[in-house]
Amino acid sequence: MRKICVIGTGYVGLVSGTGLADFGNHVICCDIDQSKIDLLKKGEIPIYEPGLKELVDRNVKAKRLTFSSDIDTSVRDAEVIFIAVGTPMGDNGEADLRAVEAVAKTIAKNLNSYKIICTKSTVPVGTGARLQEIVESEKESDAEFDIVSNPEFLREGSAVKDFLLPDRVVLGVNSKRAEEVMKDVYRPLFINETPMVVTNVPSSEMIKYASNAFLAVKISFINEVANLADKVGADVHTVARAMGLDGRISSKFLHPGPGYGGSCFPKDTEALVYTGEQHDVQFQVVQAAINANKTQRNVILDKATELLPEMEGKTVAVLGLAFKANTDDVRDTPALEIIQGLNEAGANVKAYDPIAAENMKKFFLPELTTCKSVIETVEGADLVIILTEWNELRGLGLKDLKPHLNAPNIVDARNILSVDQLKEFGYNYRNVGRSNV
Ligand code: UDX
């Protein structure tokens, strides 16, 4: 059991901090945003993440998890400090490390004993060395410290499960001492033989970027296969299934759609390309995946135009705004460009999302007409576009839905509707890689 301070209570910091408490450590989660800390102290969770509230409640009750905005004191009392603050993308694709570096300076000023300073946030390769320099130069005592890289592999919507039951734990360390402390932090996983990859800091930082970038490449690849499948009468689902039966490929992340979004893939792919450029290494494959991902939004818009060539004054119902199901996150969601494209074509857009509608209006489209139910959204629509694979949309009753529409046109950008039923009930439809099945 170790005394841990996690700085940053976003979905990475809050999930990681709570998970570390659940492993038996004493954890204090800090944030400079007092309102977030106040909410957490009242037992309210500022982010939507299935299972997180129960996990927080359980560990607060067990007195293993507390919250504070007093970062100085929390750092002084901790043995291991996790940096879990945002690393947003700068204009040229470079990761913005200002928050990370500011936190490193705060830690340096409160280095009153040996501490491990661990980056949990996704940080470019080489950041660990940078933090070593900052803390070395800013510290006000001769206390020793170690920099550790411990990247997260949390998917939004399943972050709690991903933390408690990870495929692997990656530890980038510079000393045996740091390795032993970190293994103690993750003792329950260590005991149940979760694969632990112990390596140096740059390799650990690279593992995170290489993993995310590869997943993004996989998604853009299957999207391009789907786009050709539509032209040649192939069924991308069968193609993906048969591909996935090859153990070297695996069937995961071969679901075509409107392109990837979220707070990670778009940012991490650009950051990896940028890091490569800094070292005269061209990440042409990742760059191609980025380009293909941008194009995929237009592929969905083209499908909409095929079904509804004249959009001026017509009503288009958009079902799903979150960048993926089971999250309220709309960062880099395909829905944004697609709705903007519909508006430019003169369509009247009505939108629905079970939980992300308010965020979409708050952060991007304040004028967006949002509805409280699917039926309200599709009432009188000349075209329906499904953009997020919410389970309630998978279960759409196509027979009952049709009378509400002004015209039976559906673009299923997530391939969640039954092609047989779309045909049986007389819909004009497009999906992604199965339109001529
Ligand atoms: C991702 C990584 O999976 C996770 O390991 C990392 O820590 C953070 O980034 P996240 O962005 O939360 O997690 O969601 P993920 O489930 O990976 O999906 C990312 C995007 O890819 C979403 O827009 C999703 O809709 C899309 N996607 C995913 C596809 O289009 N097809 C797929 O087969 C899988």
Side-chain angles (χ1 to χ4, degrees):
M1 183 284 283
R2 295 287 170 168
K3 291 197 72 178
I4 294 174
C5 167
V6 177
I7 302 175
T9 57
Y11 100 96
V12 171
L14 186 54
V15 171
S16 303
T18 309
L20 289 166
D22 213 51
F23 289 159
N25 299 292
H26 274 256
V27 179
I28 186 160
C29 284
C30 298
D31 204 293
I32 51 172
D33 182 343
Q34 184 65 50
S35 63
K36 260 189 190 178
I37 297 298
D38 294 344
L39 269 178
L40 288 163
K41 283 183 169 178
K42 285 188 292 190
E44 292 172 37
I45 307 295
I47 55 172
Y48 176 89
E49 193 54 58
L52 183 56
K53 174 147 180 52
E54 296 78 5
L55 197 69
V56 168
D57 291 348
R58 180 163 82 224
N59 283 280
V60 166
K61 196 162 169 237
K63 300 195 184 315
R64 287 193 297 262
L65 178 62
T66 54
F67 303 100
S68 169
S69 56
D70 179 356
I71 296 178
D72 294 322
T73 307
S74 305
V75 165
R76 299 178 77 80
D77 293 346
E79 299 171 80
V80 182
I81 298 111
F82 282 85
I83 301 177
V85 293
T87 55
M89 180 165 73
D91 297 340
N92 53 6
E94 181 181 9
D96 179 347
L97 294 177
R98 281 175 297 178
V100 170
E101 294 183 357
V103 164
K105 287 175 183 159
T106 301
I107 295 168
K109 294 194 181 331
N110 291 286
L111 202 71
N112 57 352
S113 61
Y114 172 71
K115 296 183 189 298
I116 283 179
I117 302 167
C118 181
T119 53
K120 179 57 83 174
S121 302
T122 302
V123 292
V125 183
T127 302
R130 174 97 184 88
L131 296 183
Q132 180 79 30
E133 289 166 9
I134 291 173
V135 177
E136 204 58 70
S137 65
E138 298 281 333
K139 68 178 189 171
E140 295 170 358
S141 76
D142 56 5
E144 293 179 335
F145 67 96
D146 271 312
I147 298 289
V148 166
S149 163
N150 174 220
E152 50 89 11
F153 299 96
L154 309 179
R155 291 165 297 166
E156 290 190 42
S158 56
V160 169
K161 184 175 71 62
D162 290 346
F163 188 89
L164 297 177
L165 296 168
D167 289 339
R168 77 297 207 192
V169 174
V170 173
L171 296 173
V173 296
N174 290 325
S175 74
K176 201 68 187 154
R177 182 180 188 185
E179 179 182 341
E180 292 314 313
V181 172
M182 292 307 291
K183 280 180 176 174
D184 198 29
V185 165
Y186 284 100
R187 183 150 304 284
L189 295 182
F190 191 59
I191 291 170
N192 74 22
E193 295 177 353
T194 299
M196 290 235 171
V197 176
V198 183
T199 180
N200 65 22
V201 173
S203 301
S204 173
E205 293 166 337
M206 178 66 90
I207 289 166
K208 170 66 187 181
Y209 275 98
S211 301
N212 262 15
F214 181 73
L215 291 170
V217 167
K218 231 181 153 178
I219 292 164
S220 282
F221 180 78
I222 199 63
N223 283 339
E224 292 190 325
V225 168
N227 296 341
L228 179 59
D230 274 329
K231 306 288 186 194
V232 299
D235 179 351
V236 74
H237 276 194
T238 307
V239 171
R241 188 161 57 82
M243 286 172 66
L245 292 171
D246 181 328
R248 295 169 300 174
I249 298 174
S250 136
S251 57
K252 292 193 176 157
F253 277 64
L254 286 179
H255 306 296
Y260 58 77
S263 63
C264 296
F265 285 174
K267 164 174 79 72
D268 295 352
T269 47
E270 295 279 5
L272 183 57
V273 168
Y274 182 86
T275 302
E277 284 166 357
Q278 300 309 300
H279 299 280
D280 294 329
V281 173
Q282 301 303 313
F283 273 87
Q284 299 177 67
V285 174
V286 176
Q287 187 58 59
I290 293 168
N291 300 341
N293 191 54
K294 290 181 175 125
T295 306
Q296 197 63 12
R297 275 100 162 125
N298 297 325
V299 167
I300 302 305
L301 270 172
D302 291 345
K303 293 175 186 289
T305 309
E306 282 169 30
L307 295 181
L308 192 63
E310 264 314 306
M311 286 199 190
E312 189 60 45
K314 296 290 177 65
T315 301
V316 178
V318 171
L319 302 180
L321 298 171
F323 81 94
K324 66 175 210 175
N326 299 321
T327 181
D328 63 352
D329 198 340
V330 290
R331 285 176 288 184
D332 257 314
T333 180
L336 178 57
E337 289 101 321
I338 290 168
I339 288 172
Q340 287 169 333
L342 295 168
N343 287 334
E344 281 160 21
N348 300 317
V349 175
K350 296 162 71 181
Y352 169 77
D353 188 287
I355 56 170
E358 280 322 301
N359 277 345
M360 193 65 159
K361 288 169 71 117
K362 184 172 140 189
F363 294 115
F364 299 117
L365 299 171
E367 306 306 315
L368 181 64
T369 301
T370 56
C371 304
K372 294 288 180 223
S373 72
V374 169
I375 289 301
E376 183 193 341
T377 315
V378 304
E379 200 62 55
D382 299 287
L383 170 69
V384 174
I385 305 181
I386 294 177
L387 292 179
T388 310
E389 70 286 14
W390 287 106
N391 282 337
E392 72 174 278
L393 300 180
R394 291 179 194 278
L396 275 182
L398 294 174
K399 186 178 178 187
D400 299 340
L401 193 78
K402 193 175 174 186
H404 293 276
L405 305 184
N406 198 32
N409 298 317
I410 288 192
V411 173
D412 175 8
R414 293 288 187 167
N415 290 352
I416 56 177
L417 300 179
S418 156
V419 172
D420 292 339
Q421 285 191 10
L422 286 164
K423 285 176 180 171
E424 180 186 350
F425 301 124
Y427 282 89
N428 309 313
Y429 68 90
R430 293 290 186 280
N431 50 38
V432 188
R434 313 192 71 217
S435 291
N436 299 308
V437 169

